[in-house]
Amino acid sequence: MSRVGINPWVRQEKDLEEAQPKINELRAKPNHNIHETAFIAQEAHVYTESLDLGANSWIAGEAVVRGEISFGEHCTVNPKACISGKVTAGDGVRIASLTTIVGFNHGFEDVTKPIYQQAHTRKGIVIGDDVWIGANVVITDGVTIGAHTIVAAGAVVVKDVPEYSIVGGNPARVIRDRRAGRSTRNKASAALHEIGYKARDEYKAVLENAVVDDKDEGQIYQDTQQGKPSIRAWCDAIEIAKFFEDVPALYDKEFYIEKLQSYQHGERGLLLNPGEEEPAREDLIQVPNGYYYLTIGYALECLGSHIKHEVTGIGELSTDEIYNHLDNLDWTENGWGCGSWNDHFATAMYHNLKYHDSNDRPEALFGWLNTHNSSASGMWSNPSKKQGWLLAVNGFYRLTRGTYAQFGVDLPHPESSIDTILSHCRQYENFIEKGVTGCNVLDIVHPLWLCSRQTDYRKDEIRSIMEQQVVAISKRWQKDKGFGFTPDMEPGLQGTEMWLSIAAIAADYLEQSDALGYRPFGVHRIPPAYQL
């Protein structure tokens, strides 16, 4: 089965073109009303007497749909589900794989006749709005499922279900009313669904709102936070589109690749601004334009490409030069800056290793980091009197993102790191209302997620923070505009990319990535980019 047959939400223009003949054939049949934004995969088996398929609804590959079927808007039928007989569903109904919904029955009252010779009956099944039906569920004829209900995986539903219920078992029974004592975990799941749903529906509008006219370049991407043209805006636009397996509509993929690769020039393969001269040999240790290795490098990967040439300037640096530089960084007062340097340096090295078979030696960098991490705090920096652990924790994120996370290496003291980060969170009330910026929240969510890959230490407290964060994030999306870097800032590309990434990392920790329905592929990707 094709990728789009399994995951219709990643469909692109070519997929729509391939599926269009099948959809058009169904549209032409009497009593078939298929909205222009609905989608039916080529591999779907649709043999209906009548079919209503509302806006933004879809039927995945190898699903079987037959009989008198009606779906409202934003409904989904996943692969290998079977919908038969007379079935009417409202808006926002999600039907998982291998579910069987049968709106008819065999007659069986006359024991003198074989069952196959007896007449069928058809009462029909009615499913209300906003119902989530899990995998391997069976729903029998004559059942009505109330709105806002969740049917647990494997349930066999043989009688009516009240609205706002959670039901499970065989035969299914009501486990509880969703409105009574709704837990934080359920709120988080609903919030992730909401974030993913809005982002998928509106990301194209977010990108369109970031396009401005430039007298020299024509139409360009520009972020509200930066307020001026920058390569970061282009890269954020590419990453946002890639969340949904897309490319920004302003230009074609080849244009973006050529534009981003044009920033690499000079003898040492450094990423430099147009007209910028290559720095002297002794200044290479500063990794000039270091953030470009993240933004440009990962945006190129989102486009299926990469930095064109090896950054030989990084490879020229000796171990002694690297260690002397690390020794002389201001770890006491500028933890964020120290972390930033490590992120830039290690990411340039990553591109060399992955794409250019370089001789760079990341083990030397990890050797210094492992021997200079505090076993007491798990940090590389100390707190300040004015801001506490803020710069140290923010620097911990930047450092570990480019090293331990990017290369899939275990942290030296994860439990001590968790203690420090949670202490930092308490000072800022978990960053739900206080100190809320994309950076500050990312810089706790990513490190807690990273540490938790090695240990279950204080997992209930971490889970609570993750749940609180996704609920708070879901309330900040602005229609067709996305997220602001802070809640009171105008939405833009940087804020949108960061908050969508934060939600994805939190969802991964909560094991609810499916509820979100997208994942980051760029700077904030979740799997290691290059496993050492």
Side-chain angles (χ1 to χ4, degrees), residues 347-359:
T347 303
M349 188 181 293
Y350 152 70
H351 292 297
N352 283 350
L353 289 167
K354 186 170 183 178
Y355 297 109
H356 302 292
D357 196 26
S358 77
N359 295 318

Side-chain angles (χ1 to χ4, degrees), residues 488-508:
D488 57 352
M489 286 182 67
E490 183 72 17
L493 296 175
Q494 183 175 342
T496 299
E497 189 281 325
M498 289 189 75
W499 287 108
L500 288 179
S501 295
I502 292 166
I505 296 165
D508 186 77

Side-chain angles (χ1 to χ4, degrees), residues 17 63 74 201 339 344 413 472:
E17 291 175 3
H74 299 285
D201 266 17
H344 300 162
H413 302 107

Side-chain angles (χ1 to χ4, degrees), residues 86-112:
K86 185 177 182 180
V87 179
T88 302
D91 296 333
V93 174
R94 321 300 269 191
I95 300 171
S97 296
L98 301 171
T99 281
T100 302
I101 301 174
V102 184
F104 72 94
N105 208 345
H106 284 282
F108 56 87
E109 296 298 331
D110 188 347
V111 296
T112 65

Side-chain angles (χ1 to χ4, degrees), residues 160-175:
D160 291 353
V161 176
E163 63 180 18
Y164 287 100
S165 296
I166 298 176
V167 298
N170 180 10
R173 61 179 181 83
V174 176
I175 298 170

Side-chain angles (χ1 to χ4, degrees), residues 172-244:
R173 61 179 181 83
V174 176
I175 298 170
R176 69 174 176 85
D177 188 313
R178 292 177 64 201
R179 296 165 295 188
R182 188 177 177 209
S183 71
T184 305
R185 184 169 300 184
N186 290 331
K187 289 181 182 178
S189 179
L192 290 168
H193 274 286
E194 182 178 358
I195 294 167
Y197 170 77
K198 288 181 177 178
R200 180 171 299 282
D201 266 17
E202 300 172 31
Y203 78 91
K204 291 183 180 179
V206 172
L207 297 182
E208 288 171 7
N209 284 329
V211 175
V212 298
D213 291 319
D214 182 83
K215 63 180 181 179
D216 297 319
E217 296 188 61
Q219 289 192 308
I220 64 169
Y221 286 106
Q222 181 171 308
D223 187 45
T224 54
Q225 184 178 347
Q226 296 152 36
K228 60 182 180 180
S230 72
I231 195 62
R232 169 84 183 251
W234 291 88
C235 296
D236 283 335
I238 290 165
E239 290 208 27
I240 291 167
K242 182 61 177 176
F243 283 143
F244 309 104

